[in-house]
Amino acid sequence: MSDVHHISSQHLSLERIEEIISRRYSLALSQEAEERILHCYNYLHRKIASTDKSIYGINTGFGSLYKKQISHDNLEQLQRNLMMSHACGMGDEVPAEVVKLMLLLKIQSLAYGNSGVQLQTVKRLIDFYNRDIYPIVYQQGSLGASGDLAPLAHLCLPLIGLGEVYYQGYRLESRHVLEMFSWEPIALQAKEGLALLNGTQFMSAYGVHCLLQSLRLSRTADVVGALSLDAFDGRIEPFNHLIHQARPHRGQIETAATFRELLQGSELIGQFKQHVQDPYSFRCIPQVHGASKDAIHYTEGVILTEINAVTDNPNIFPDEDEIISGGNFHGQPLALALDFLAIALAELGSISERRTYQLISGSRGLPDFLVAEPGLNSGFMITQYTAASIVSQTKQLCTPASIDTIPSSNGQEDHVSMGSNAATKLYNVVQNVERVLAIELMNAAQAMEFRRPQRTSAPLEQLLAEFREQIPFVSTDRVMHPDMERSVSFLRTCHLPAALA
């Protein structure tokens, strides 16, 4: 039986999320969360029964239809109509690992007791999560303000027996899955559809997934970069702590220290050097990798604030007797941070490709394109072409989404964040950077063979040995694509040297 994570008001950290996902924890509501949800729900329905006042989204229409008051008899139909009419997603499907995070983050947000939902609604979302029932959600449709309306509509349609899900590898109509478990569709109550559709859980889920991958890629870039530095016969002096104390950016200091540790004991790094300086792609690794680390740290702060927040509208404060319509669903904080993170990761890929270029250039005693008999053999020539192509595409993906806005809902929603587009672009950037680093690793491992019998440091030699078990040395030309794919898989599953794990 799996461990259980109890949803509560306790801060949800990145480490905890990774533990919940990787160890396949099931979810349950804490007693505190149940009490908060019930307290808010009961307050809301007492309020509705005791007032004729218009309360946005509860007894009014939505968006520019806020002026239309809805009769008490139609409040449930209003919420059902909202769910159906807003399920307007298009494009590619959201990956299952992101949908799972969407469910977790939506449950977390509703559990704070400021949204007015039924307890059974939250528990049904938990049932979906625990039984690996993944609603089919589409990547296109959200403007990143008023919440992620279209994606969240698709996420929550199965609650009312509509839409489709993946279950045990099959694509099914959600009503059939409800029947399998003898679940009745949820009868949505006042405010409930709006609570489910408002919120930033589409952007946030992509953000959490990409942030976890970014931390891994940052560590990977350091390890692969250190291997390349040694294979290129680079110098260790640019990583001296004195340089970085003189310009004490946090990420720069961390990166230099990591490289000193990774290369400690290397025969290659300690040997006499004919050259007095290395190209920037080696010499400025602390400054470039370090700046990306600092951007990742900033993004982490924004995303952690967001996932531990209430982001639907209106917000309900039972103890203060207040129902306040505001803008906590606006994704601008996330949009800016996700754009920033994409740019930071792109730079890890950009400098990686330049190191690959240097390794194949025939410099520092290495053969042209890292192969015997260059000319007859093209060796690693086109791996660099591929890396350059990916880097170029990544640059295009880094055009900020957050600087764009298109008015919607008859001008009522006249400034939007486009954070959802920032999120899906970032997801593609993560994949691209991983591929570029995998290509650099192939080239660095190949170059290192031409330095034998000299050896690099013990942790990097261990990494090389594990790499060679999956991707052998290239002695003459062969089809490179399978090696490149295996290199990507290796980076996803390998154990990085202990200093960085």
Side-chain angles (χ1 to χ4, degrees):
M1 188 172 181
S2 66
D3 292 324
V4 178
H5 170 77
H6 287 89
I7 299 289
S8 69
S9 59
Q10 186 174 353
H11 182 86
L12 202 55
S13 67
L14 273 183
E15 293 79 12
R16 183 59 174 170
I17 291 175
E18 189 166 33
E19 184 180 18
I20 292 167
I21 297 296
S22 63
R23 294 179 58 178
R24 297 185 59 81
Y25 282 23
S26 59
L27 302 181
L29 288 173
S30 65
Q31 183 178 346
E32 169 213 5
E34 288 199 13
E35 290 172 354
R36 284 173 177 267
I37 292 167
L38 287 169
H39 182 49
C40 185
Y41 174 82
N42 291 333
Y43 164 79
L44 173 62
H45 285 266
R46 286 196 304 270
K47 192 74 172 178
I48 293 170
S50 64
T51 183
D52 293 326
K53 180 182 176 182
S54 293
I55 308 173
Y56 173 75
I58 296 173
N59 56 14
T60 73
F62 309 104
S64 64
L65 297 175
Y66 69 92
K67 298 174 185 177
K68 304 288 187 180
Q69 190 156 12
I70 310 300
S71 69
H72 191 273
D73 292 340
N74 287 324
L75 295 188
E76 290 184 23
Q77 188 63 44
L78 173 70
Q79 301 301 316
R80 185 177 175 86
N81 287 350
L82 174 73
M83 188 84 75
M84 293 188 295
S85 67
H86 283 48
C88 292
M90 293 285 281
D92 294 337
E93 294 174 10
V94 176
E97 63 267 23
V98 178
V99 173
K100 186 160 189 156
L101 283 167
M102 288 177 71
L103 287 168
L104 170 61
L105 299 182
K106 175 54 78 174
I107 293 162
Q108 179 70 34
S109 183
L110 296 176
Y112 287 114
N114 298 108
S115 301
V117 296
Q118 301 175 84
L119 183 59
Q120 67 170 328
T121 300
V122 183
K123 287 188 172 181
R124 180 63 54 79
L125 289 172
I126 290 175
D127 287 334
F128 288 170
Y129 183 96
N130 289 343
R131 296 181 184 270
D132 294 326
I133 298 169
Y134 300 128
I136 294 175
V137 183
Y138 300 94
Q139 292 184 14
Q140 294 175 324
S142 173
L143 299 176
S146 293
D148 290 312
L149 295 173
L152 290 174
H154 285 281
L155 183 79
C156 297
L157 273 177
L159 291 171
I160 60 174
L162 299 178
E164 295 178 297
V165 301
Y166 283 114
Y167 178 62
Q168 294 186 344
Y170 295 96
R171 183 181 183 126
L172 302 170
E173 291 185 35
S174 63
R175 62 189 177 88
H176 295 315
V177 175
L178 297 187
E179 290 167 2
M180 284 182 198
F181 293 102
S182 300
W183 292 337
E184 290 295 323
I186 299 292
L188 298 176
Q189 302 295 306
K191 167 65 166 68
E192 202 159 21
L194 194 59
L196 293 167
L197 269 58
N198 271 182
T200 61
Q201 285 77 38
F202 176 78
M203 291 177 277
S204 296
Y206 267 101
V208 168
H209 174 80
C210 291
L211 185 56
L212 289 170
Q213 298 305 311
S214 299
L215 292 165
R216 177 179 63 86
L217 289 176
S218 177
R219 297 192 295 268
T220 300
D222 285 349
V223 173
V224 175
L227 189 63
S228 292
L229 178 71
D230 233 7
F232 192 64
D233 194 26
R235 303 186 68 101
I236 195 65
E237 288 85 351
F239 302 87
N240 188 295
H241 72 282
L242 294 174
I243 292 177
H244 307 291
Q245 286 176 354
R247 193 199 193 196
H249 290 292
R250 172 185 170 184
Q252 182 175 329
I253 291 170
E254 289 177 0
T255 303
T258 293
F259 271 68
R260 292 194 303 272
E261 188 168 2
L262 279 170
L263 292 166
Q264 187 175 2
S266 166
E267 296 171 6
L268 285 163
I269 206 70
Q271 71 181 1
F272 173 77
K273 312 289 181 184
Q274 296 282 352
H275 46 279
V276 296
Q277 279 191 336
D278 291 328
Y280 285 4
S281 56
F282 292 99
R283 188 173 9 137
C284 298
I285 287 174
Q287 291 77 11
V288 177
H289 286 203
S292 293
K293 283 185 178 66
D294 289 339
I296 292 169
H297 291 318
Y298 166 77
T299 307
E300 181 177 355
V302 173
I303 289 175
L304 286 178
T305 297
E306 190 75 7
I307 66 175
N308 289 285
V310 179
T311 57
D312 63 355
N313 179 63
N315 296 144
I316 302 169
F317 302 94
D319 294 341
E320 292 80 9
D321 191 21
E322 292 278 6
I323 302 176
I324 304 173
S325 182
N328 275 356
F329 49 59
H330 202 292
Q332 195 69 21
L334 280 173
L336 291 170
L338 296 174
D339 279 339
F340 190 21
L341 183 56
I343 292 167
L345 290 178
E347 284 301 287
L348 292 181
S350 180
I351 195 171
S352 170
E353 183 276 330
R354 289 292 82 194
R355 291 192 295 265
T356 295
Y357 179 85
Q358 294 290 348
L359 288 168
I360 66 171
S361 66
S363 303
R364 306 275 175 90
L366 295 172
D368 290 335
F369 305 114
L370 300 176
V371 70
E373 297 187 73
L376 176 62
N377 294 297
S378 295
F380 284 71
M381 178 192 294
I382 308 303
T383 65
Q384 184 266 325
Y385 283 43
T386 303
S389 171
I390 296 170
V391 165
S392 180
Q393 183 190 69
T394 300
K395 292 174 185 176
Q396 295 157 18
L397 288 168
C398 285
T399 300
S402 55
I403 61 174
D404 187 29
T405 182
I406 297 177
S408 57
S409 195
N410 285 349
Q412 175 72 3
E413 298 166 8
D414 57 348
H415 181 278
V416 298
S417 77
M418 299 298 180
S420 58
N421 290 345
T424 53
K425 289 195 306 97
L426 171 60
Y427 184 84
N428 291 329
V429 168
V430 166
Q431 293 178 310
N432 279 357
V433 172
E434 181 179 56
R435 292 168 186 146
V436 172
L437 288 170
I439 290 171
E440 182 189 354
L441 175 58
M442 285 179 60
N443 281 267
Q446 181 79 3
M448 192 61 74
E449 299 294 341
F450 293 101
R451 300 299 185 191
R452 299 308 187 194
Q454 291 173 300
R455 300 177 67 80
T456 184
S457 66
L460 294 182
E461 286 290 347
Q462 177 64 32
L463 186 75
L464 277 171
E466 293 171 4
F467 181 79
R468 281 285 170 247
E469 289 177 2
Q470 300 186 31
I471 299 100
F473 176 75
V474 178
S475 55
T476 58
D477 280 348
R478 64 175 185 244
V479 178
M480 299 290 266
H481 170 77
D483 291 344
M484 295 161 75
E485 291 291 347
R486 282 193 290 268
S487 188
V488 171
S489 297
F490 176 81
L491 282 183
R492 287 180 183 169
T493 58
C494 72
H495 295 288
L496 296 174
L500 301 177

